[in-house]
Amino acid sequence: MKVAIVAVGRLRAGPEAALVADYLARFDRTGRPLGMGPASVLEVDDRRGGGIEAEAALIAAAIPKGALLVALDERGANPTSVEFARMLRRWADDGTPSVAFAIGGADGLDPGLRSCAGVSISFGRMVWPHLLARVMLAEQLYRAATILAGSPYHRA
């Protein structure tokens, strides 16, 4: 099962980009024997003038065909890391070819796009900068793969 992070804005070289690359490389190594990966980041332009509606159109166009859309949204479910790992396992076992995690820009995701998502996930009730949300998602993907692989990385 391929994984795509579809995010608004360009992540410049720096610590956030390095963390995302590192965690996704770890996810790819750990997830492939589990039938998960590769993971990719698909960036779309920040449409300050067009608002979240314009961003939603760009996100929708970037989502791989046939992918399960997962919205990262403060109103979404707040799974534990183990529950998130089980979600990924279930999707892979059900034959889901790919999963696309959508991260909106500074104003979040368009309600219309959120309503198209099969799942909506939150990293808690606090609002996180969309650049840090990428890092957190990449780490949780890696953590989920280690949980499923029985690695000691996650200490529950």
Side-chain angles (χ1 to χ4, degrees):
M1 177 178 73
K2 294 179 182 176
V3 174
I5 298 173
V6 183
V8 172
R10 306 285 177 195
L11 192 58
R12 292 183 212 124
E16 295 92 351
L19 283 168
V20 170
D22 180 51
Y23 282 125
L24 291 183
R26 291 181 190 198
F27 169 74
D28 286 346
R29 281 192 307 272
T30 308
R32 279 190 195 258
L34 304 168
M36 296 177 197
S40 61
V41 177
L42 308 171
E43 297 178 319
V44 301
D45 290 329
D46 181 348
R47 295 290 182 182
R48 296 178 206 275
I52 59 176
E53 296 86 6
E55 291 173 355
L58 293 172
I59 291 169
I63 295 169
K65 188 173 179 117
L68 169 67
L69 176 59
V70 178
L72 267 67
D73 183 74
E74 64 187 276
R75 293 166 286 268
N78 191 11
T80 66
S81 295
V82 172
E83 290 167 340
F84 181 65
R86 288 181 184 144
M87 280 184 208
L88 289 175
R89 178 77 276 151
R90 185 174 55 252
W91 296 333
D93 289 348
D94 289 347
T96 303
S98 61
V99 177
F101 292 90
I103 301 174
D107 295 320
L109 290 171
D110 177 70
L113 184 63
R114 282 197 322 261
S115 70
C116 293
V119 178
S120 184
I121 293 177
S122 171
F123 286 134
R125 293 176 16 200
M126 292 182 181
V127 176
W128 294 95
H130 60 280
L131 297 178
L132 286 181
R134 291 187 205 191
V135 175
M136 294 168 63
L137 176 57
E139 192 280 337
Q140 284 299 302
L141 287 167
Y142 169 60
R143 182 175 297 273
T146 64
I147 289 168
L148 296 171
S151 166
Y153 179 76
H154 179 74
R155 293 172 180 87

